[in-house]
Amino acid sequence: IMAHYVRVMPHKTFRINPSVCPPYNADFDGDEMNLHALQTEEAEAEARILMDVKNNMISPKFGGPIIGLDLDQISGIYLLTHKDVVMSKEEACQLFADAGIDIDLPDKETFTGKEIFSMLLPKNISIEFKANCCKCDEKGYHECPDDGYVVIKNGVLESGRIDAKAVGAFKGKLLVKLQRICGNDVTKKLIDDYGRLGIAYLMKRGFSIGISDLDLPRDVHKLIRKEIQKAEEESHELIRQYNEGTLKILPGMTMAESLEAQILNTLASSITNVSNIVSENIRRSDIITMFEAGAKGSIINTTQMAAVVGQETVFGKRIMGGYLHRTLPHFAPNDLSPMSHGFVSSGFKDGLTPFELFWNIMNGREGLMDKSLRTRKSGYMQRRLVYALQDLKVHSDGTVRNAHNQIIQFVAGEDMVDPTKSDWGKVEWKNYL
Ligand SMILES: [Zn+2]
């Protein structure tokens, strides 16, 4: 629950700023919300100080931002800050106008995307971090080939691309830094401006995906089929060992459990290999842009669409239910092969076989049940937990006590750190010297 300022607009539907969608987990597919209009001065003052959106940007849960850019806003900023983006003064002017940003442009012929991004940034911001689009390991990322090492010095973006790791809701390191150094009002304005700038740039550039983005060269398809075949052969070898009684038994498991664990493992690692093949060979398209930027989707989604869906599970296990000793009457009894227990070796683009579709539907039904049952259960659990803990309070001596003045913790949170004033739960005081 947060407090918002009212802006009276035509029509009867209430609207919200897209940047507060992430904390509410809101979208516009039919969502409803409850709105309380405050009745007294005291209530209003309390809401203004304690509940205002801009005073709740850093989550007390994990010390990161809960509001920030989302979806296309991230894709837009990510594309804008690509190192090859250059535009004329007229284009830059039009871009800022489209984003509703009033700014004086310096007297220059051309502007890079990074310069445009930097123009809005306060001059006292300096930060370095690894961007979402960087795939380097811990050592090599300072010279990232994908321009994934962000360096901001005195409010100038010197290198790196701005993506979800910088400005995304729940992830944006730059947002936390901004909030610490410049305060809530500046951060709020920047989230608004960058969001609109991202969208404006996307509108100018164009952004679209299509089926052909998932095309893979013929020899790559062959490579993927070979990989899947290898995994299926390895599974059959495990099944053979199981039937012979020579299968390696894993600690704390029966022979049958060991077989299941090892088959699941074999198939999963082959899907990982396929994912790598796909990411190395797929054409660069806006699908790739989206998951590189951290806006939406992942390489797993892309792999499932372009190449292989993989193992479908029910209750975390291969599909076992159905008929006596088999999943469907079409299979021989006691058939333990991957394809009769929920392994989908086709991709969504090429289409599933009838069996594969059935496994997918079984898994999909479980997901549906999960979503409705678990959200209700966990919602009520949280309500009971909050009720049980509502009288706990941090006292001025740093102890946490309940309503009977009994000490629950001698040091609040056992570390005396207010996550709201931390960097992801840690005290990084050196960053603020
Ligand atoms: Zn990198």
Side-chain angles (χ1 to χ4, degrees):
I1 183 167
M2 287 189 283
H4 294 254
Y5 287 86
V6 173
R7 188 154 121 201
V8 180
M9 290 195 282
H11 309 297
K12 290 184 174 174
T13 309
F14 85 82
R15 314 184 211 177
I16 53 172
N17 188 308
S19 292
V20 292
C21 288
Y24 289 123
N25 194 18
D27 45 41
F28 303 95
D29 62 359
D31 287 20
E32 300 178 36
M33 284 178 139
N34 299 301
L35 188 147
H36 303 258
L38 301 174
Q39 300 294 309
T40 64
E41 293 288 333
E42 291 91 333
E44 195 192 307
E46 206 164 88
R48 213 184 276 279
I49 293 162
L50 298 174
M51 299 165 69
D52 190 347
V53 172
K54 75 172 196 294
N55 296 332
N56 288 286
M57 286 190 294
I58 306 298
S59 167
K61 189 168 78 181
F62 62 96
I66 55 167
I67 82 162
L69 306 206
D70 203 13
L71 304 171
D72 283 2
Q73 297 175 331
I74 297 173
S75 303
I77 288 288
Y78 177 69
L79 290 167
L80 176 68
T81 52
H82 188 278
K83 59 181 184 298
D84 295 342
V85 172
V86 183
M87 57 183 88
S88 67
K89 187 171 186 181
E90 284 71 27
E91 285 173 307
C93 223
Q94 186 62 52
L95 187 66
F96 280 119
D98 291 343
I101 299 168
D102 191 4
I103 191 170
D104 289 323
L105 293 184
D107 197 15
K108 278 177 34 153
E109 286 286 302
T110 59
F111 293 82
T112 66
K114 284 184 167 64
E115 283 172 338
I116 287 177
F117 179 86
S118 303
M119 260 177 239
L120 300 174
L121 219 50
K123 290 290 157 269
N124 52 351
I125 294 292
S126 297
I127 188 173
E128 291 183 19
F129 57 90
K130 188 170 172 267
N132 190 72
C133 62
C134 174
K135 297 180 280 285
C136 308
D137 58 7
E138 279 311 306
K139 275 166 249 158
Y141 69 88
H142 288 273
E143 286 106 36
C144 179
D146 306 315
D147 196 16
Y149 188 58
V150 178
V151 178
I152 295 174
K153 266 205 189 108
N154 301 319
V156 177
L157 177 59
E158 291 185 350
S159 81
R161 299 179 73 175
I162 298 301
D163 57 24
K165 268 282 183 58
V167 291
F170 304 111
K171 296 185 194 150
K173 286 174 188 289
L174 180 59
L175 297 180
V176 174
K177 186 85 181 187
L178 272 166
Q179 197 270 343
R180 290 289 125 76
I181 304 276
C182 306
N184 295 333
D185 290 295
V186 172
T187 311
K188 183 186 108 173
K189 175 138 197 338
L190 272 178
I191 289 171
D192 274 352
D193 285 350
Y194 281 138
R196 270 184 274 106
L197 190 68
I199 296 294
Y201 183 68
L202 271 199
M203 295 286 277
K204 170 182 137 71
R205 190 202 90 121
F207 193 80
S208 101
I209 60 172
I211 286 284
S212 63
D213 290 344
L214 299 167
D215 288 346
L216 291 168
R218 201 180 289 268
D219 52 325
V220 174
H221 260 298
K222 269 192 196 136
L223 202 65
I224 290 169
R225 292 271 73 88
K226 212 185 267 174
E227 181 66 39
I228 296 301
Q229 210 182 343
K230 205 182 88 197
E232 279 175 338
E233 278 161 17
E234 280 173 32
S235 303
H236 280 117
E237 173 59 19
L238 290 168
I239 292 164
R240 194 188 60 76
Q241 289 172 10
Y242 170 76
N243 289 330
E244 267 181 9
T246 57
L247 184 76
K248 196 179 101 190
I249 296 175
L250 301 176
M253 288 186 188
T254 64
M255 180 86 89
E257 286 167 349
S258 303
L259 176 71
E260 285 307 309
Q262 288 178 65
I263 289 180
L264 232 38
N265 232 320
T266 308
L267 296 174
S269 70
S270 106
I271 298 296
T272 312
N273 294 340
V274 173
S275 264
N276 292 333
I277 297 172
V278 169
S279 62
E280 278 163 27
N281 291 288
I282 201 160
R283 222 181 56 222
R284 292 201 53 85
S285 67
D286 285 345
I287 294 182
I288 314 295
T289 306
M290 280 195 285
F291 75 72
E292 273 183 359
K296 195 82 186 173
S298 67
I299 185 63
I300 297 165
N301 301 141
T302 316
T303 306
Q304 289 197 330
M305 291 188 286
V308 193
V309 174
Q311 179 68 47
E312 305 281 2
T313 57
V314 170
F315 298 130
K317 294 193 170 74
R318 290 161 85 205
I319 290 165
M320 288 296 169
Y323 295 79
L324 192 64
H325 305 309
R326 50 184 165 175
T327 48
L328 288 169
H330 313 75
F331 298 110
N334 299 310
D335 180 355
L336 290 167
S337 68
M339 63 101 68
S340 75
H341 285 274
F343 187 67
V344 180
S345 61
S346 320
F348 284 124
K349 194 189 79 167
D350 295 325
L352 275 52
T353 67
F355 292 127
E356 291 174 339
L357 177 71
F358 198 79
W359 310 142
N360 185 252
I361 288 171
M362 289 179 78
N363 180 252
R365 176 65 66 88
E366 192 196 38
L368 233 52
M369 296 294 294
D370 253 33
K371 217 166 72 177
S372 69
L373 297 179
R374 258 206 255 296
T375 44
R376 264 190 289 147
K377 192 163 177 163
S378 64
Y380 182 42
M381 280 169 85
Q382 188 180 28
R383 206 180 88 83
R384 284 177 303 186
L385 189 66
V386 169
Y387 188 74
L389 300 178
Q390 66 178 348
D391 65 327
L392 300 194
K393 196 168 114 184
V394 183
H395 286 247
S396 53
D397 61 357
T399 59
V400 178
R401 295 166 193 243
N402 65 12
H404 301 292
N405 210 29
Q406 292 166 323
I407 293 181
I408 306 299
Q409 285 182 331
F410 286 100
V411 175
E414 292 175 352
D415 57 6
M416 207 59 190
V417 172
D418 177 356
T420 310
K421 295 176 173 63
S422 73
D423 284 40
W424 274 268
K426 291 204 170 61
V427 182
E428 305 277 8
W429 56 273
K430 280 180 185 165
N431 291 345
Y432 298 96
L433 289 180

